[in-house]
Each structure stands twice: as C-alpha cells, then as structure tokens.
Amino acid sequence: MSSFTHITNDIPKTLIQADLAAGRKRLDSVWSGVIPGIVLVAMITAVAFSAHNVSGFALFSPMILAVVAGMVYSNVLGTPAHAKAGIAFSQKRLLRFAIVLLGFQLTLGQVVSIGAGGVGIVAATLGATFLFTITLGRLIGVDAKLARLIAAGTSICGASAIVATNIVTDARDEDVTYAVASITLFGTVAMLGFPLLAPVLGLDQHAFGLWAGASIHEVAQVIGAGFQNGTQSGEIATVAKLTRVAMLAPMVVALGLMARRKSSDDRSAARPPMPWFVAAFVAVVALNSLVTVPAEVKAAIVLATTIMLTMGLAAMGLQADISQLRSRGLRPLALALCAFLFIGGFSLMLVKLI
C-alpha cells in the first residue's frame, strides 16, 4: 500500500490535471458536435409518433409527420448551428442502418408465395414506372436527380426508397423533401381511393391485393388499403409490396454503377459512394429466410427500424428550406402525379391480363 502511495506521489499533479482537462475537452467536443443534433432529432421524432396517435393524423406514418415537423421547426424557429453535426449523423448513418434492418421484414418464401405471375407483375411495374418517370422528367425539364428520387419513391417503396436512392444520387436535401412530400400526397390518395375502385373494376381479393401491392407507394399505405378490402387482400398486398422492397437492392446497385460510369468519364467528378448497405440488406433478407427470428425480437426490430427511419427523415426536414422547395415549381409535382397515374394504370392492366 505504501509503495502504491509512493508511486502515485511520483506522478506530477500537472500531468493528472492535463489528462483530466483533455478528457473534459473530448466530452465537450462530443456534446458540441453530435449529441445536440441527435437530441433535437429525437424530440421531433417523439412529436411525430405522438401526432400519429391523434385522430386525423393516423393516416400518415410517423416518418411523414417527422418530415413535416422538421420543416416547420427549421423554417419557423431555425436550426441551431451547433446541432448540424448530429442532424447530419441522423440523416446518413441512422438511415443506412435502418434500411439494412428492413431486410428483417422480408423472406424469400414470402416472395415465392405470390407466384411467378405476381413477382412478374411487381418487377415489370417497377421497371416500367422507373423508366417512364425518368424519361418524362427529362422531357418536361425536371432536374435529373429529383426525377430519380420521384421515380424510386413511386416505383419501389416511398420514402425509404428515396432515402436509399439519394445515397448514390446525392441530390439536395430540399429535393429529397420535395420527393417525399409528393410521394406521400399521391400514396395517400391511392390508399383512400383504390379500395373504392375494387368493385367498380371487378377485382377479387387476390387481384386487388396484387394491384395495391404493386402500385401504392408506402408499405403502411399498402397495408391500409389492402386490409380495407379484406384479410386475404391485405396479406397478398403486403407480400407484393415487400417484394418491391426487395427490389430496392438491385435498383440502387444499378444507379450506383451508372453514377460510377459517369464519374469515370469525368475525372473531376467525385467518386460515388459504394452502396454497402445494399449488400447488408440482401444478407439480412437471406438470414431472415434461413433462421426463424422470434416474434418478440422481430417486433422490436421493426419498431427500431421505424424509429431510425423517422429520425432520418426528421433530420431531412430540419435541413429543408421551404423557399427552395417553392423554387422548384409545379413541374416535379406534375411528374409525381403522372408517375402515380402510370403505375396505377400499368399494374392494373397486368393484373387484368394475368
């Protein structure tokens, strides 16, 4: 004991004080860097989840409400400068991890359950809608990056696809927000209107489930529309929609390769990021197909995924400038409307034919 006391007495007090000061400086750096932004994003996320439980707002997912709440906060109160690092962390790191966790909501067995015809309808509708939207966007003068975001959100899986696509597209935050807003608008119209059209169009539960799953934008919107028309319809719609979600991986890889080819032609262009999260997403789907995940664990993963996606979209809302959104005009909105009409009409045609 006396030898230990002797050794500690030999340590200069100035050295101990310097170490303590360095530790406090590191903690201060973390606090002033990332934590304030994460706390702000978490507060807005909590507001979004609370609003989702209020009558009249239940139609909108927490993700969509978080975008709106973030935009209101940033454009009315302003985003604090010391919170920007944490906001950027939420927008990038959390969103990518959440997209990986989406794989736990899909198995290869679920894809097979809708049959080869159902998978063909989903794949053909996705590809045709994406190409149609990109081509029309070029014809009417919509910015190419914004057109890709609207195309991905319409053809694949709404806000999640927009976020994933933007990692390789690298559009402005305002473009992401614009795309999410327009996709939400027309996805909500589809969720409310499509079930009313089922008897008019002569669709049974199986056919309507395929149509809803192949054409409506958000997963939550598909579930709402599908089960409104019956249990069988809801189950088929959910599987068809999750099949579209699985196709997010090859779509993002294709966009990444296109961006890389373009950057190789232009040496001054930045090298596009590798979509590592896509490979992780595919691995998680394979794992979920081979291993039975307990229902309690899966429910926790689904909740965590929703929370992280909501935080990422809240961060995007915090960085959105409404004045810049207005500067985009009505052409992107018209593009989203035409894409919505195309995916609804094209998928309905395939369902009727098959």
Side-chain angles (χ1 to χ4, degrees):
M1 181 69 180
S2 60
S3 61
F4 176 77
T5 305
H6 179 71
I7 292 173
T8 55
N9 288 335
D10 287 342
I11 300 175
K13 291 184 178 180
T14 54
L15 182 60
I16 296 175
Q17 291 172 347
D19 288 341
L20 290 174
R24 285 194 298 268
K25 187 176 181 180
R26 283 193 293 270
L27 288 174
D28 291 341
S29 176
V30 171
W31 173 256
S32 62
V34 175
I35 293 179
I38 293 178
V39 170
L40 177 59
V41 168
M43 291 172 60
I44 292 176
T45 299
V47 170
F49 273 93
S50 298
H52 177 67
N53 294 321
V54 175
S55 178
F57 290 98
L59 292 175
F60 303 99
S61 70
M63 289 183 284
I64 304 308
L65 295 173
V67 171
V68 175
M71 289 176 62
V72 171
Y73 185 97
S74 63
N75 287 275
V76 175
L77 300 177
T79 303
H82 66 274
K84 290 186 177 180
I87 293 171
F89 175 86
S90 300
Q91 180 179 341
K92 296 178 181 178
R93 302 286 181 92
L94 287 182
L95 275 175
R96 295 185 188 192
F97 189 60
I99 291 168
V100 173
L101 292 183
L102 279 174
F104 281 107
Q105 300 182 37
L106 179 69
T107 65
L108 297 177
Q110 288 175 317
V111 175
V112 173
S113 69
I114 64 173
V119 174
I121 289 173
V122 171
T125 299
L126 189 155
T129 302
F130 195 92
L131 292 175
F132 169 83
T133 308
I134 293 296
T135 303
L136 181 61
R138 188 181 301 116
L139 291 175
I140 66 176
V142 175
D143 178 78
K145 292 182 177 181
L146 178 54
R148 288 192 200 105
L149 297 181
I150 293 174
T154 303
S155 62
I156 307 175
C157 56
S160 300
I162 291 170
V163 170
T165 301
N166 192 52
I167 293 174
V168 294
T169 300
D170 195 25
R172 300 187 310 171
D173 291 336
E174 289 77 12
D175 289 347
V176 174
T177 304
Y178 195 118
V180 169
S182 59
I183 293 304
T184 301
L185 171 63
F186 296 116
T188 302
V189 171
M191 178 183 67
L192 298 175
F194 280 18
L196 301 177
L197 294 176
V200 178
L201 298 172
L203 299 175
D204 59 21
Q205 288 204 25
H206 185 274
F208 179 79
L210 275 179
W211 183 42
S215 60
I216 299 178
H217 304 353
E218 290 276 353
V219 174
Q221 294 166 345
V222 168
I223 292 173
F227 282 98
Q228 189 173 333
N229 200 55
T231 302
Q232 181 188 3
S233 179
E235 292 173 351
I236 293 172
T238 302
V239 173
K241 179 60 179 178
L242 291 177
T243 303
R244 282 169 70 190
V245 174
M247 295 177 184
L248 173 66
M251 179 64 73
V252 173
V253 168
L255 289 173
L257 292 174
M258 289 170 59
R260 174 158 294 184
R261 189 179 301 113
K262 184 177 180 180
S263 68
S264 65
D265 295 335
D266 181 8
R267 294 183 180 180
S268 64
R271 188 177 181 84
M274 281 295 293
W276 59 265
F277 67 95
V278 174
F281 171 84
V282 173
V284 169
V285 172
L287 175 66
N288 195 41
S289 302
L290 297 173
V291 178
T292 302
V293 180
E296 299 81 3
V297 175
K298 184 168 290 189
I301 292 173
V302 171
L303 177 60
T305 303
T306 303
I307 290 173
M308 284 187 286
L309 285 171
T310 305
M311 290 181 70
L313 288 170
M316 287 185 179
L318 284 169
Q319 300 190 72
D321 187 341
I322 291 179
S323 64
Q324 293 190 21
L325 289 177
R326 286 199 300 265
S327 69
R328 287 301 194 187
L330 293 177
R331 289 186 183 183
L333 187 64
L335 176 63
L337 171 60
C338 292
F340 159 65
L341 295 175
F342 179 88
I343 194 171
F346 187 84
S347 58
L348 177 63
M349 178 188 69
L350 294 182
V351 168
K352 286 286 193 179
L353 289 176
I354 296 179

